[in-house]
Amino acid sequence: MLAEMNFLTISTFSANANIWTIIFLMVAGQGLFISSFLYTKKSYFKKSNFFLATLLAFFSLNLLENVALWTQYLMHSPHFTNVTLSFTYLYGPLFYFFIIYRIKNDRKFNWKDLFHLIPFFVFNYRMLDFYELSSEIKLNILTKQMPYSVNFWTFFWQYLAIFSLLMYLFLSIREISTHKIESKNNLKKIMLSFALFCALIALYFVINILMNLNVHFDYLITLIVSIFIFQIGYFALSEPKIFDPFLYKIKSKTKYEKSNLSNKESIEYLTCFEELMEKEKLYLKKNLKINEVADTLSISTNHLSQALNESSNKTFIEFINFYRVEEAKKMLLNPQFDNLTIEAIAYECGFNNKTSFNKYFKKIMIVTPKEFMNNYKIKHFHVIK
């Protein structure tokens, strides 16, 4: 029967591109660049970065296959059709291992961890029949000249992909919520991006199951992947603490390499600094400078800066704003200050304006001052009730 069919040939197609495919191609390039950066950079969290880099690389390769399909380059190499389809079953495990090794950096890879890859290998085994098809048959399937059978297993694997993403999202959230780790707030930003990605991917699969979508709807899933890659790229470049909070410790050691300040002195200076802040509340002073605090403690500005950076991994400004936010939290919940606006409280705590106050408050507390107050009122109301 196949011999009687009028097969299309590779020479029938000419490659073409549009603005969307060019944009997606650039996004894929960015994803591969970031993954290469994470693979090669020296990091305390090298294992964790390896899994994140692999995740980004697979995202980007999947995006490249889609671009090849839309530009018809895939018609010239039909054997590459669906080679990245099985990556869907790796996204969840890779993200989960990224979280696991970010929390437990000294964890050793166990052979039992390979069980997470079972869906990936089983799916590829079931796809062997398709992979072994001739280029002519694949070409006609791509152009819908020859229908490809849709059966129970087609829907099973799509539902399994949805379940896999949501399950590993849940496991990752549970790991973060049950462990105390550095930069937890920053790590939650990546978690939020991945949660959005999982939800939209699941929605796409459901719509694809219920409706007969044409190839142009694939732009939706590609746009989702693109947004995720851009978010990871933004976090990697603008907030590197997400990937390696110890990077600053390494830098500070290099910066203060010639300093004669001992670790013991550094801890003592930090303790004196914290006691001074809590007792005198110098952070309430607007435009407080580090040299003013250093003079009060009778130590050099450089030694105070070094003590803060090395012993707490925070800068002077980060320390001061942390104390100011803590003071603001007390005032926001104290009925004695109900007559003050949020902006007035910001000034009382040492901030120069409401914008910077909101920025640092949300950075530390994840919510705005107004949301913080509303959350407290809701919890307080339920307790009274």
Side-chain angles (χ1 to χ4, degrees):
M1 181 177 177
L2 294 179
E4 296 174 358
M5 295 190 66
N6 182 24
F7 284 125
L8 295 172
T9 61
I10 292 175
S11 59
T12 307
F13 301 93
S14 58
N16 60 79
N18 56 42
I19 185 64
W20 285 106
T21 55
I22 293 174
I23 291 174
F24 289 138
L25 186 63
M26 292 173 63
V27 173
Q30 183 203 38
L32 291 174
F33 171 78
I34 296 174
S35 63
S36 299
F37 171 75
L38 291 174
Y39 275 133
T40 57
K41 70 172 293 200
K42 294 181 179 180
S43 171
Y44 178 83
F45 293 108
K46 191 172 183 179
K47 296 177 183 177
S48 177
N49 285 354
F50 169 81
F51 288 106
L52 185 60
T54 305
L55 177 61
L56 283 174
F58 284 164
F59 274 150
S60 303
L61 291 175
N62 179 259
L63 185 53
L64 285 176
E65 183 184 336
N66 286 332
V67 171
L69 174 64
W70 295 326
T71 57
Q72 296 195 8
Y73 274 103
L74 197 59
M75 309 302 182
H76 294 267
S77 302
H79 278 304
F80 287 101
T81 304
N82 288 339
V83 293
T84 65
L85 189 60
S86 59
F87 290 174
T88 309
Y89 304 98
L90 292 177
Y91 296 156
L94 286 172
F95 188 80
Y96 176 65
F97 282 124
F98 159 68
I99 296 296
I100 287 292
Y101 281 95
R102 174 61 182 80
I103 296 173
K104 307 170 186 175
N105 186 59
D106 58 347
R107 180 184 187 273
K108 293 184 178 180
F109 196 82
N110 193 298
W111 67 269
K112 293 181 181 179
D113 294 332
L114 295 176
F115 282 109
H116 294 275
L117 305 180
I118 289 178
F120 169 75
F121 288 117
V122 174
F123 179 82
N124 276 302
Y125 175 76
R126 290 193 59 85
M127 286 290 290
L128 285 178
D129 290 340
F130 178 84
Y131 295 148
E132 292 173 353
L133 293 176
S134 67
S135 59
E136 289 79 10
I137 294 178
K138 287 183 179 179
L139 186 62
N140 280 268
I141 291 175
L142 278 173
T143 56
K144 298 185 179 180
Q145 298 295 317
M146 177 188 295
Y148 191 68
S149 61
V150 177
N151 51 38
F152 164 80
W153 291 107
T154 305
F155 296 109
F156 170 80
W157 286 108
Q158 290 189 8
Y159 282 119
L160 183 62
I162 297 173
F163 175 77
S164 173
L165 287 170
L166 297 181
M167 181 187 71
Y168 283 106
L169 173 63
F170 168 76
L171 292 175
S172 300
I173 292 175
R174 188 182 66 176
E175 288 295 330
I176 289 182
S177 61
T178 56
H179 290 84
K180 292 183 178 181
I181 55 175
E182 287 193 58
S183 305
K184 177 180 282 193
N185 293 339
N186 289 333
L187 198 60
K188 284 182 178 179
K189 295 180 181 179
I190 286 187
M191 179 64 72
L192 180 61
S193 299
F194 189 72
L196 178 63
F197 168 79
C198 291
L200 294 178
I201 287 289
L203 179 63
Y204 173 84
F205 275 125
V206 171
I207 294 175
N208 194 40
I209 291 171
L210 298 177
M211 301 172 59
N212 185 23
L213 302 180
N214 60 46
V215 68
H216 296 292
F217 279 89
D218 283 344
Y219 278 109
L220 175 62
I221 193 170
T222 307
L223 182 61
I224 295 170
V225 174
S226 302
I227 293 173
F228 183 72
I229 290 177
F230 266 121
Q231 285 181 317
I232 295 294
Y234 169 77
F235 291 140
L237 296 175
S238 64
E239 298 186 62
K241 283 186 179 182
I242 291 178
F243 299 101
D244 196 356
F246 286 85
L247 178 66
Y248 292 95
K249 289 186 178 181
I250 295 172
K251 285 185 176 180
S252 64
K253 286 182 180 180
T254 304
K255 180 179 178 182
Y256 303 112
E257 192 172 4
K258 296 181 180 180
S259 173
N260 59 358
L261 184 67
S262 66
N263 289 334
K264 183 179 179 181
E265 289 175 321
S266 180
I267 295 174
E268 288 177 355
Y269 289 163
L270 175 62
T271 302
C272 291
F273 173 82
E274 291 175 334
E275 290 176 352
L276 179 66
M277 289 298 115
E278 293 172 6
K279 184 179 179 179
E280 302 295 334
K281 295 189 176 182
L282 296 182
Y283 51 85
L284 297 178
K285 179 181 178 182
K286 293 181 178 63
N287 301 316
L288 180 67
K289 304 296 182 183
I290 188 171
N291 60 295
E292 298 177 49
V293 179
D295 290 342
T296 304
L297 294 173
S298 300
I299 60 177
S300 72
T301 301
N302 287 340
H303 279 178
L304 177 58
S305 175
Q306 181 180 352
L308 297 179
N309 291 338
E310 290 186 342
S311 299
S312 68
N313 199 29
K314 290 182 181 178
T315 65
F316 175 75
I317 296 299
E318 289 174 332
F319 249 117
I320 296 303
N321 286 327
F322 172 79
Y323 281 113
R324 287 171 175 170
V325 168
E326 288 298 307
E327 187 71 22
K329 285 164 56 181
K330 296 175 184 177
M331 294 182 67
L332 288 170
L333 302 181
N334 192 336
Q336 181 182 346
F337 301 102
D338 285 347
N339 61 316
L340 296 181
T341 64
I342 292 179
E343 187 172 5
I345 289 177
Y347 287 124
E348 288 292 326
C349 294
F351 287 97
N352 287 321
N353 53 71
K354 185 179 178 181
T355 302
S356 61
F357 172 57
N358 286 334
K359 175 185 175 183
Y360 284 107
F361 193 98
K362 189 171 183 179
K363 184 177 182 181
I364 295 172
M365 300 301 300
I366 312 301
V367 295
T368 63
K370 189 174 183 180
E371 291 170 339
F372 174 77
M373 292 178 63
N374 291 337
N375 292 341
Y376 173 79
K377 289 178 181 177
I378 293 173
K379 293 179 181 178
H380 189 63
F381 171 78
H382 284 304
V383 170
I384 294 176
K385 190 175 179 181

